[in-house]
């Protein structure tokens, strides 16, 4: 089972809280919006970072994140 | 012009608009013109598109205007890949930025001769209104 981070782009405002809390997975683009280091639009959350990813989801001020498991 | 027929060439009909360019025109200039139009047609909902498309179109326009600076082509490609890195849906709620980025990237490849001429300060077209 793989866990991915899904961004609701209509809600995201580029605050950058997630890129601070999940810096192994995300980096800010030129305008502060999260970009996955692996280049995918729904980056895989590596094992061991699930808790940090959930933390980032919980802390997004715009509620723009959720974890998808498949 | 079908999706299936074009996929053999690694291409797709995209939005399904076909523009026949006269021989006198510059493919690079026309691509930049379309990119600027598409950058103005954003829905305004998603940051990567709202910010990325105008910057990408403006950078491509610098190339179209023969305003050379080091790394110009690479910068256009970098900005295009920020919105659509692979042949998969990119960072946005709709596919508008993806289509725009793919148009720009394929335009740089198809009109490579024009790109090289513009980098050297020339244009291969005989009549260009910019």
């Amino acid at each position: 089972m793989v866990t991915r981070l899904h961004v609701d782009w209509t809600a995201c405002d580029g605050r950058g809280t997630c890129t601070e809390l999940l810096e192994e997975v995300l980096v800010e683009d030129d305008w502060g919006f999260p970009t996955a280091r692996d280049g995918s639009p729904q980056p895989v959350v590596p094992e061991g970072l699930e808790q940090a990813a959930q933390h980032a989801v919980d802390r997004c001020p715009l509620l723009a994140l959720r974890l998808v498991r498949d | 012009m079908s999706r299936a027929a074009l996929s053999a060439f690694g291409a797709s009909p995209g939005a399904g608009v076909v523009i026949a360019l006269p021989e006198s025109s510059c493919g690079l200039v026309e691509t930049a013109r379309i990119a600027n139009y598409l950058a103005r047609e954003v829905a305004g909902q998603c940051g990567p598109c709202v910010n990325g498309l105008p910057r990408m179109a403006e950078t491509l326009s610098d190339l179209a205007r023969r305003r050379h600076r080091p790394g110009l082509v690479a910068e256009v490609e970098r900005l295009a890949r920020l919105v659509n890195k692979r042949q998969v849906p990119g960072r946005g709620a709709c596919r508008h930025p993806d289509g725009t980025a793919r148009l720009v990237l394929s335009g740089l490849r198809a009109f490579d001769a024009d790109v090289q001429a513009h980098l050297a300060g020339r244009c291969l077209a005989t009549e260009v209104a910019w």
Side-chain angles (χ1 to χ4, degrees), chain B residues 15 18 37 48 73-74 76 89 104 113-114:
Chain B
V18 178
Y37 164 76
V73 175
V76 176
V104 167
D114 299 278

Side-chain angles (χ1 to χ4, degrees), chain B residues 29-40:
Chain B
V29 167
E30 296 306 319
T31 303
R33 210 192 294 277
I34 296 168
N36 275 290
Y37 164 76
L38 292 171
R40 292 191 299 270

Side-chain angles (χ1 to χ4, degrees), chain A:
Chain A
M1 190 172 67
V2 175
T3 303
R4 294 177 186 275
L5 186 69
H6 174 85
V7 182
D8 178 354
W9 291 108
T10 65
C12 175
D13 197 31
R15 301 290 178 89
T17 306
C18 60
T19 60
E20 282 186 31
L21 294 173
L22 205 54
E23 60 183 2
E24 298 90 340
V25 179
L26 301 171
V27 66
E28 287 194 341
D29 71 4
D30 295 43
W31 303 277
F33 291 87
T35 306
R37 291 186 188 274
D38 70 6
S40 64
Q42 281 194 332
V44 172
V45 176
E47 257 187 67
L49 287 176
E50 275 238 20
Q51 197 171 43
Q54 186 62 57
H55 198 51
V57 167
D58 294 342
R59 296 288 173 145
C60 173
L62 279 306
L63 305 178
L65 297 174
R66 71 172 188 271
L67 294 180
V68 181
R69 293 179 176 85
D70 50 39

Side-chain angles (χ1 to χ4, degrees), chain B residues 1-18 87 99 102-103 105-107 109-110:
Chain B
M1 276 296 296
S2 70
R3 192 175 297 275
L6 287 172
S7 69
F9 299 94
S12 85
V17 177
V18 178
Q87 296 297 313
R102 287 164 68 173
L103 169 78
L105 289 173
S106 86
R109 285 195 305 272

Side-chain angles (χ1 to χ4, degrees), chain B:
Chain B
M1 276 296 296
S2 70
R3 192 175 297 275
L6 287 172
S7 69
F9 299 94
S12 85
V17 177
V18 178
I19 300 174
L21 295 182
E23 255 190 80
S24 55
S25 69
C26 173
L28 181 57
V29 167
E30 296 306 319
T31 303
R33 210 192 294 277
I34 296 168
N36 275 290
Y37 164 76
L38 292 171
R40 292 191 299 270
E41 290 296 309
V42 300
Q45 294 204 71
C46 305
C49 180
V50 168
N51 293 293
L53 255 50
R55 173 86 73 79
M56 177 181 67
E58 189 54 39
T59 308
L60 181 62
S61 298
D62 282 348
L63 181 61
R65 292 188 192 105
R66 290 174 273 160
R67 280 190 200 150
H68 177 254
R69 59 179 181 273
L72 183 56
V73 175
E75 181 66 1
V76 176
E77 290 171 344
R78 182 187 77 85
L79 291 164
R81 293 199 169 93
L82 260 186
V83 293
N84 181 226
K85 184 147 185 169
R86 304 170 184 165
Q87 296 297 313
V88 295
R91 300 159 66 231
C94 79
R95 304 282 73 84
H96 179 74
D98 301 33
T100 308
R102 287 164 68 173
L103 169 78
V104 167
L105 289 173
S106 86
L108 289 177
R109 285 195 305 272
F111 302 118
D112 181 60
D114 299 278
V115 170
Q116 299 311 316
H118 278 234
L119 289 174
R122 297 177 293 110
C123 185
L124 303 176
T126 54
E127 285 170 34
V128 177
W130 180 266

